[in-house]
Amino acid sequence: MAEVPLKVCIVGSGNWGSAIAKIIGNNVKKLQQFAPTVKMWVFEEVIDGRKLTDIINSDHENVRYLPGHKLPENVVAVPSLTEAVQDADLLVFVIPHQYIHKICDGISGKVSRKALGISLIKGLEEGHQGLKLISDIIREKLDIDVSVLMGANTATEVAEEQFCETTIGSKAVKNGFLFKKLLQTPNFRVTVVDDADTVELCGALKNIVAVGAGFCDGLRWGDNTKAAVIRLGLMEMIAFARIFCKGQVSTATFLESCGVADLITTCYGGRNRRVAEVFARTGKSIEELERELLNGQKLQGPPTAAQVHRILMHSDLTKKFPLFTAVYQICYERKPVREMLACLQCHPAHI
């Protein structure tokens, strides 16, 4: 990277994007390696007659997605995506994974090939050869190196500066350490590993397990059953990574914050567990509950379960992943929630 201060752009401004903006905005003011102004692309909305970008730039608060938390004054909300990424050296992607193609297509050719990216996006897609990671989509469309950040990081707790850990996965480890410098604080502790694909898969797959945990809560099955869902879910996460990751998968990666820690956190908190609990109790559709409960945010667990199901169907492996399959069938094929218990009782991880 150039010796001049590196310009940072955050692509996304939901609750997680805004929490990260708070960290980055404060860090760049202290580190001469980074330019002091951070651009944050904001999908424009009107809140009580005011543009959201104007509110953020004047009141320094994202009242829509992270109310009650002040953003540093050097974080500048920009409604134009191309203007936000212009001249950026470091791009931090933090949007719902459903929009990644549209976003990358919008800035393709407008980002320097010397720029570096990091994805905080938890999701995946089905590709021609099976698994397609979100970082791969960014890498191919923008022709830049992309690291990933995943961990037990609930946005509100990060914004409150409660202590937590996170994991950066980077195939070019020096780039991972550059992003660590940008992101780490005393209460946001970063570990860098080179097993980037596994790190990213953990961030996507744990949301499916969290939906299963939410079903347990909705049916009041108790902590023992929920613990079984978490353990069996972790087993399926590991098995999926070993089958579909292109490189070597390190079991140690699942012991990092991106693995078991994020899995536990998401299965006891977070929107996927919460919506799944209400789904089990009310029978309302996932789409309906998303509109009612999430204030404009998007669920990741159900659509990820759908992507995973298509990958497993293509490889004739659904029977080896009964929990992932059951979550998909409950969300999209009207399978009764109570039938998830059968997949636990006969799970191959018990054999």
Side-chain angles (χ1 to χ4, degrees):
M1 299 298 294
E3 294 182 2
V4 298
L6 301 173
K7 298 177 182 177
V8 181
C9 172
I10 301 169
V11 181
S13 57
N15 65 336
W16 186 211
S18 297
I20 284 295
K22 182 177 178 181
I23 288 176
I24 293 175
N26 285 326
N27 277 356
V28 299
K29 291 188 289 187
K30 308 169 189 174
L31 300 169
Q32 294 183 349
Q33 187 173 3
F34 305 103
T37 298
V38 176
K39 291 182 180 180
M40 179 172 70
W41 173 66
V42 175
F43 179 77
E44 192 68 279
E45 301 178 61
V46 176
I47 311 295
D48 296 329
R50 300 175 66 195
K51 292 181 179 179
L52 181 56
T53 52
D54 291 341
I55 295 172
I56 293 172
N57 289 332
S58 60
D59 301 348
H60 308 293
E61 180 182 352
N62 189 335
V63 296
R64 178 77 159 103
Y65 297 110
L66 196 68
H69 295 278
K70 289 294 183 180
L71 299 177
E73 294 183 4
N74 60 325
V75 174
V76 178
V78 181
S80 166
L81 178 60
T82 54
E83 182 183 339
V85 302
Q86 186 177 11
D87 299 326
D89 300 299
L90 303 177
L91 296 164
V92 180
F93 293 90
V94 54
I95 57 173
H97 82 272
Q98 296 95 319
Y99 303 127
I100 192 60
H101 285 282
K102 181 178 180 181
I103 294 300
C104 287
D105 288 342
I107 59 177
S108 178
K110 300 178 176 66
V111 174
S112 169
R113 291 186 178 180
K114 295 181 180 178
L116 301 175
I118 187 166
S119 171
L120 282 62
I121 301 169
K122 296 180 177 180
L124 51 81
E125 287 194 0
E126 180 188 11
H128 295 301
Q129 299 178 337
L131 176 67
K132 188 79 167 181
L133 296 172
I134 300 302
S135 63
D136 288 334
I137 296 170
I138 301 171
R139 191 176 294 112
E140 292 171 7
K141 287 182 176 289
L142 302 185
D143 195 20
I144 61 174
D145 183 74
V146 183
S147 302
V148 296
L149 181 147
M150 306 286 157
N153 310 138
T154 303
T156 302
E157 294 182 12
V158 171
E160 292 171 350
E161 300 182 27
Q162 296 186 34
F163 179 81
C164 68
E165 299 176 310
T166 198
T167 311
I168 288 178
S170 185
K171 296 177 181 180
V173 175
K174 66 177 183 178
N175 295 339
F177 278 101
L178 175 61
F179 281 110
K180 175 177 179 175
K181 188 177 295 186
L182 176 68
L183 290 159
Q184 181 161 268
T185 75
N187 284 328
F188 191 71
R189 304 300 294 171
V190 179
T191 299
V192 179
V193 301
D194 61 4
D195 191 8
D197 289 354
T198 305
V199 171
E200 186 170 1
L201 260 186
C202 284
L205 297 177
K206 57 90 182 180
N207 282 327
I208 304 176
V209 186
V211 173
F215 293 158
C216 287
D217 292 339
L219 296 176
R220 295 182 172 85
W221 277 349
D223 290 336
N224 292 342
T225 306
K226 187 171 177 177
V229 168
I230 294 171
R231 188 190 77 83
L232 295 171
L234 178 60
M235 297 294 290
E236 292 193 15
M237 288 168 59
I238 294 171
F240 190 93
R242 286 177 173 166
I243 293 171
F244 292 103
C245 275
K246 300 169 188 172
Q248 185 70 28
V249 172
S250 171
T251 303
T253 303
F254 292 92
L255 300 179
E256 297 288 349
S257 180
C258 63
V260 65
D262 195 10
L263 178 62
I264 292 170
T265 296
T266 310
C267 287
Y268 280 90
R271 71 190 76 157
N272 289 283
R273 187 219 60 81
R274 178 163 57 94
V275 172
E277 178 181 0
V278 180
F279 175 93
R281 290 181 179 173
T282 66
K284 293 182 178 180
S285 71
I286 291 293
E287 293 77 14
E288 186 177 1
L289 292 172
E290 192 176 57
R291 290 193 299 269
E292 290 180 4
L293 300 175
L294 295 186
N295 190 35
Q297 298 178 74
K298 293 293 184 182
L299 278 183
Q300 301 302 314
T304 301
Q307 296 282 4
V308 165
H309 185 70
R310 286 192 286 271
I311 293 169
L312 294 176
M313 285 283 289
H314 182 75
S315 301
D316 195 24
L317 289 172
T318 55
K319 291 182 180 180
K320 292 184 180 294
F321 295 86
L323 180 59
F324 288 175
T325 300
V327 169
Y328 165 77
Q329 291 174 335
I330 292 167
C331 289
Y332 293 105
E333 296 184 350
R334 298 184 179 274
K335 183 174 183 176
V337 181
R338 290 188 176 275
E339 291 189 18
M340 189 179 74
L341 188 60
C343 91
L344 304 180
Q345 294 168 333
C346 302
H347 200 287
H350 286 306
I351 299 172

